[in-house]
Amino acid sequence: MNPFTSLCFSLAIFLLCAPAALASDFTADMLQTMNGKPVMSGRASVKDLRMRMDVSMEGQRQIVITDPTAGKVLMLMPDAKMYMEMKLDPAQMGAAAIREGSTEEGQWRSIGKETLDGWECEMKAFDFKDKSKGELTAWFAEKLGYPIRTVYKSGAETMIMEFRNIRQGTVDPSQFAIPAGYQRLNMPAMGQGMPPGMGQGMGKKPPM
């Protein structure tokens, strides 16, 4: 799985895990592994339902801002001072899944409690209606109202996405805005003509 596909996959997982209530502001280190091998790392900032991820893909810095309320995802390329905007499908957000128990994709069930990095968490498993979509487990930090670890298994592959060194505190809302001077880049079909680090994997859809 290349970095762009991996990032889209991660977004799909976290959108499914998005809580119905507003989460506490926090920042954290982010790490994603595939079958035990690191594939992506960076910084994450969360404010309400918005999430910003600063990551490096194929040697280039990328910033991904997800805003479920506005129904969009922004992908910023600081080196080129350009950005892309993509529509977020409300049907895939799963905002009601955590507190109300079900979505069109399946249903959550509580499986226990566990403390991760000092944070008391409720563990939940998501039962997909389509069993071919695999298995998803999430650890929701009770004080944050947000998943700080997700494990997705599909066949022989296991993807883990987790936040470490979490720090609560007010996150500046300007972090979720497009910086002045950035030019919009229209989304090419199937990744054609995209900047380095952004073109591969566009034709692959995460199983969410």
Side-chain angles (χ1 to χ4, degrees), residues 117-159:
D117 199 24
W119 297 89
E120 294 183 3
C121 300
E122 179 179 8
M123 296 173 59
K124 290 191 175 185
F126 191 83
D127 297 320
F128 288 98
K129 291 181 180 179
D130 181 352
K131 300 303 180 183
S132 68
K133 291 188 175 182
E135 304 174 11
L136 173 64
T137 306
W139 284 252
F140 293 88
E142 296 177 351
K143 289 185 178 181
L144 298 176
Y146 209 84
I148 63 173
R149 188 173 194 259
T150 59
V151 176
Y152 176 74
K153 296 181 179 180
S154 179
E157 292 194 328
T158 299
M159 188 199 79

Side-chain angles (χ1 to χ4, degrees), residues 34-103:
M34 180 67 71
N35 299 329
K37 297 180 179 180
V39 294
M40 189 181 303
S41 63
R43 293 281 300 159
S45 300
V46 173
K47 186 176 185 67
D48 300 330
L49 293 180
R50 293 173 293 177
M51 180 170 67
R52 168 179 168 144
M53 295 194 297
D54 291 69
V55 300
S56 176
M57 292 191 293
E58 297 185 354
Q60 292 199 352
R61 183 188 174 205
Q62 309 289 348
I63 300 172
V64 182
I65 299 172
T66 308
D67 189 343
T69 302
K72 64 182 180 182
V73 174
L74 297 173
M75 304 194 76
L76 281 59
M77 293 152 276
D79 293 342
K81 291 191 178 300
M82 302 181 77
Y83 75 95
M84 292 187 296
E85 182 175 323
M86 293 171 287
K87 186 176 181 180
L88 201 57
D89 184 357
Q92 295 182 1
M93 291 182 191
I98 305 311
R99 301 306 175 210
E100 297 180 15
S102 65
T103 72

